[in-house]
Amino acid sequence: VYGLSRRARDEPCPGYRGRVLIAIDGPAGAGKSTVARAVAHALGCGYLDSGAMYRCVALLSLEQPDCAPAVLASAATITLSRSGDGWLVQLDGRDVTAAIRAPAVSAAASRLAADPGVREALVAKQRALIAHGDWVAEGRDIGTVVAPDADLKIYLTATPAERADRRARELGIDATGVLAAQDARDLRDSTRKHSPLTVAPDAIELDTSGLDVDAVVARIIALAQPPG
Ligand code: DC
């Protein structure tokens, strides 16, 4: 059921037996990025961080408040590439890897993500990117909107407290404020009119609370193996 039967297997990638698209969706702080990067690395697939795209548009719109966000979204050139052990995010040629993680950008990204024009422009960019080759794509709407034909859909969750703790540790700040901001984002992301965060009916839900990253990654890789 969870195998790779629904897509053509015409472009095998190193470390994997056929063409694959794995969608990993879920709320902020569920561990999507860490897990998606590790799965992509293990399978030799490309990695799409769709949240980074929303963050780039948010940064642009904070810098250019007079310009319509949807216009900024369609004009932006956003690239994500490997850089040593990490990932480099470039926006119109400049390195914005750190800038897009600022709390003000997180809040703006969550607001902008409700704009249908922004979503349309970014979904088009995401689909163009994953049209060729093998991908692990993470976000909120990959399995429901961007790639409803994904071979494997994972919905990663964790308790709100654990998610806030992880984010606070990452940013080196106190978890209380993180939890409040996270609650606000969760509510906005899951109640917005356009492409709200929902679990695709054919997604497999994995609760990562108390689980170690390696265990989650191993489980997803096992689910991605073709049956037999
Ligand atoms: O995953 P992240 O925290 O980097 O995402 C930033 C914001 O973008 C988040 O508030 C939700 C939004 N987003 C979205 O609406 N759809 C996606 N596919 C990815 C992110």
Side-chain angles (χ1 to χ4, degrees), residues 49-69:
D49 175 359
S50 63
M53 292 189 165
Y54 287 89
R55 288 171 179 275
C56 282
V57 176
L59 181 64
L60 279 178
S61 123
L62 290 171
E63 291 170 348
Q64 300 172 57
D66 295 335
C67 201

Side-chain angles (χ1 to χ4, degrees), residues 28 32 49-52 54-55 101 106 109-110 113 119 126 138-142 167 185 189 192:
K32 292 191 303 289
D49 175 359
S50 63
Y54 287 89
R55 288 171 179 275
R101 303 290 155 194
S106 302
S110 172
R119 299 206 72 84
Q126 291 154 17
E138 63 141 304
R140 304 291 190 289
D141 62 343
I142 305 295
R167 207 23 82 95
R185 281 175 67 198
D189 291 345
R192 69 179 175 227

Side-chain angles (χ1 to χ4, degrees), residues 8 23-24 32 35 45 53 76 95 109-110 148 153 178 184 186 188 199 222:
I24 302 183
K32 292 191 303 289
V35 167
C45 296
M53 292 189 165
D95 179 354
S110 172
K153 300 180 187 178
V178 175
D186 281 356
R188 249 197 318 261
V199 188

